[in-house]
Amino acid sequence: MRKSSNNLVSVWLVPVGRGSPSPPFPDSGHLLHPPREAESIPTAASTDLNPRVIVQFGKKMFSIVRQKVFNGGSAATALGQTLQRIRPAVAAARGYSSAAKEMTVREALNSALDEEMSADPKVFLMGEEVGEYQGAYKISKGLLEKYGPERVLDTPITEAGFTGIGVGAAYYGLRPVVEFMTFNFSMQAIDHIINSAAKSNYMSAGQISVPIVFRGPNGAAAGVGAQHSQCYAAWYASCPGLKVLAPYSSEDARGLLKAAIRDPDPVVFLENELLYGESFPISAEAVDSSFCLPIGKAKIEREGKDVTITAFSKMVGLALKAAEILAKEGISAEIINLRSIRPLDRATINASVRKTNRLVTLEEGFPQHGVGAEICTSVIEESFGYLDAPVERIAGADVPMPYAANLERSAVPQVEDIVRAAKRACYRAVPMAATA
Amino acid sequence: MVLGRAFEDMCAQMYYRGKMFGFVHLYNGQEAVSTGFIKLLKKEDSAVSTYRDHVHALSKGVPAREVMSELFGKTTGCCRGQGGSMHMFSKEHNLLGGFAFIGEGIPVATGAAFSSKYRREVLGEADCDHVTLAFFGDGTCNNGQFYECLNLAALWKLPIIFVVENNLWAIGMSHMRATSDPQIWKKGPAFGMPGVHVDGMDVLKVREVAKEAIERARRGEGPTLVECETYRFRGHSLADPDELRDPAEKAHYAARDPITALKKYMIENNLAKEAELKTIEKKIDEVVEDAVEFADESPQPPRSQLLDNVFADPKGFGIGPDGRYRCEDPKFTEGTAHV
């Protein structure tokens, strides 16, 4: 399996843990979108951000695949299919000036890294398997050949060591991008993220700033078990001195990663493994190498007037699907893609709640002390008088992630949960009694 | 060394008078290591230390006034009172802290050494031969980060010297009880770098070893592990009753006080006369007194300093209810910590 490194990363083909990869699922319970045949070029305008995922079945016919991939998308993790995966030619997918281009999140991150590394020689990438393996999830594909081993550094398995080294280098003005194979492994290095990076500007009274980016996949993947599935948004976002970003679409990924690399402060960049292969339409402006998104501004993915649903990362996709279902039932949901967990765009959230008067927060992580808890409190503090219903928060189950596929499905919010919660927020007349 | 000793003694006095607070870790007895190594550095070379960093800061060139103010928590301190005893930073003198967790400073020092190599090789600053010193104790040598960095430094041939201040005690845990092989210098060759043991109470011997190690690093030959056998005359911190250490052991090392030893050496070899040494000591006393006075008279940080320096880019505080970045509001830092 490892030999065919020309794989689009499907979850089980890449060793996320130190042991053997987990087996594919018998059913496609975790597909975000049902598989469809590859079809024509999407003509939707870039404001419609419902991603279209097209599953490729086929042989390794590179030229045809290249064309097909460019024309409309890339494979998602089609679990349970024993297929050959074909890696999209990243270079070929860029640089065309057709109006509605599509780009996978993987390509977006790769191109952002590429452009920032070529713009500033102080930027370098460090992490496990980022070089010769082309990236554990192929995010850094091609960078080793282009920039050489001094700027794309394969490290041994020493999270604490190489994170600290990155921080020390950042003290001296270099701009490291430290990749964690997953953010679960960042727990071995969290001392450096918090104590050496986040707090240094404060402890040194502004003398030493730390322009470092910590990036990697965060949150649950598919069937990787309890130790590989935790969402760290709440942990990092509670720490002053850090900026925490969570992109959803390719445009988010590009713009926010560029902003993170250019930022003079430590940034924790939470990606999502299941989103890497997803393809999103991308505007011509976003493809430009100077494109950058502001840190601290959320995006309203879908306007609505009945209920506000806040989400970040993969959950935005679920929220959008839920919004479609709710629309058919006459509830117009406003979906906010947070983009930035710290600083939280409280202004946008509150303005939206003041318009809709109802709030549902959505996240994948553990419920207690989560991102949703903070948003709910913020809204209660600032917009209490505008609320027509108690605030709702949907989070992952308060358990370590189980392995069994059906249990895992019930441990992570699904579209039905969002729909149910939104309906509760809309029809509830009296506050419910608190349940355990 | 004399400055270090006098300074630390003054710290103890000030602590018991209530002017200094929190955790204060004094360096009495170990001055030879700091002086021996740091005085060989250029200003651009960096030093990284632990919480026992007052004397490292002084040796590196941070003025005694600034260190004392920092300890008093005043705004004229080297970190404007925001760091404290355990977190001394100075960009000007390339002192990178000041870390409270043991072992935390070692990867950071390795990173600083990495940046020196990167600047030379990738950014093309051919004359960048800056060397980094990482100071830490015997307890740290049982911590994973230490080994991770020994490996990486040797692997990438980084210009760093790992200086172990082995004072045989980690608070109340004797090095012999905590370590399977107490000879720390032996751990260097296991990773492919030379490991040296030196008598840390003799500043001249330390200096000799330091010179060689620093030259080696500057030439690009990679890291060195230097174990300095030394001793701290006071407890781990000013809150430590120091009951576990054997008085005989303390007396043994007190007899090997580095300052007395150097004085004796200088007088015996006619490098200085007693009277000159006395003048030096008097001058140092004046410097320390002046530092205390300066710190006493300095103002405490204003309330508005609370939110300063959390971010280099203060837009990190987010967007306020009026839709503009919070930091653009002129009243911003005058508020409370509730942002």
Side-chain angles (χ1 to χ4, degrees), chain A residues 11-292:
Chain A
V11 170
W12 70 90
L13 287 176
V14 169
V16 186
R18 316 290 190 216
S20 52
S22 33
F25 281 109
D27 65 328
S28 56
H30 270 279
L31 263 187
L32 297 179
H33 312 276
R36 280 176 291 181
E37 293 302 321
E39 229 43 84
S40 50
I41 303 172
T43 51
S46 56
T47 49
D48 168 15
L49 286 176
N50 277 330
R52 296 219 333 227
V53 170
I54 299 159
V55 173
Q56 291 278 8
F57 302 98
K59 314 266 169 45
K60 249 199 245 188
M61 297 188 318
F62 271 110
S63 55
I64 298 179
V65 167
R66 221 176 249 209
Q67 190 143 40
K68 264 193 181 154
V69 164
F70 164 65
N71 276 345
S74 52
T77 54
L79 307 166
Q81 321 282 357
T82 48
L83 304 166
Q84 282 180 310
R85 296 272 171 262
I86 299 144
R87 190 202 340 231
V90 174
R94 274 189 271 135
Y96 288 74
S97 57
S98 52
K101 259 170 40 58
E102 287 221 336
M103 196 190 259
T104 59
V105 172
R106 179 177 290 116
E107 289 162 14
L109 293 168
N110 183 285
S111 59
L113 275 171
D114 193 359
E115 286 163 21
E116 291 303 305
M117 284 180 78
S118 81
D120 184 350
K122 299 204 285 290
V123 178
F124 67 95
L125 178 62
M126 180 159 67
E128 293 157 15
E129 312 291 10
V130 296
E132 292 190 8
Y133 197 79
Q134 309 292 318
Y137 296 96
K138 310 302 181 208
I139 305 294
S140 51
K141 177 175 175 320
L143 295 180
L144 177 64
E145 287 90 68
K146 198 165 169 192
Y147 296 104
E150 290 120 17
R151 293 187 66 195
V152 179
L153 296 142
D154 275 324
T155 62
I157 306 179
T158 44
E159 272 78 13
F162 69 71
T163 307
I165 288 182
V167 173
Y171 276 13
Y172 274 102
L174 300 186
R175 304 189 89 97
V177 177
V178 175
E179 173 171 317
F180 292 113
M181 203 180 272
T182 80
F183 261 95
N184 300 277
F185 307 151
S186 75
M187 288 201 285
Q188 297 202 328
I190 200 168
D191 172 40
H192 281 291
I193 300 176
I194 308 287
N195 281 327
S196 315
K199 298 183 183 171
S200 286
N201 197 267
Y202 192 82
M203 288 197 295
S204 68
Q207 292 177 76
I208 296 179
S209 78
V210 190
I212 190 169
V213 176
F214 303 102
R215 49 161 291 270
N218 175 53
V224 290
Q227 293 185 352
H228 285 89
S229 307
Q230 190 166 334
C231 174
Y232 289 87
W235 281 33
Y236 288 119
S238 74
C239 181
L242 280 183
K243 297 180 184 172
V244 181
L245 304 177
Y248 164 62
S249 63
S250 309
E251 192 160 323
D252 288 353
R254 252 183 81 80
L256 292 176
L257 185 55
K258 278 164 159 299
I261 295 177
R262 296 179 198 178
D263 195 275
D265 287 305
V267 180
V268 172
F269 193 81
L270 304 170
E271 302 159 3
N272 188 292
E273 190 191 326
L274 297 176
L275 283 178
Y276 283 152
E278 275 209 36
S279 194
F280 295 87
I282 193 158
S283 61
E285 178 203 23
V287 174
D288 183 60
S289 67
S290 64
F291 176 65
C292 206

Side-chain angles (χ1 to χ4, degrees), chain A residues 32 220-221 247-248 272 274-275 312-318 364 412:
Chain A
L32 297 179
Y248 164 62
N272 188 292
L274 297 176
L275 283 178
F312 60 94
S313 190
K314 192 174 83 190
M315 291 288 126
V316 178
L318 295 198
E364 196 182 38
V412 175

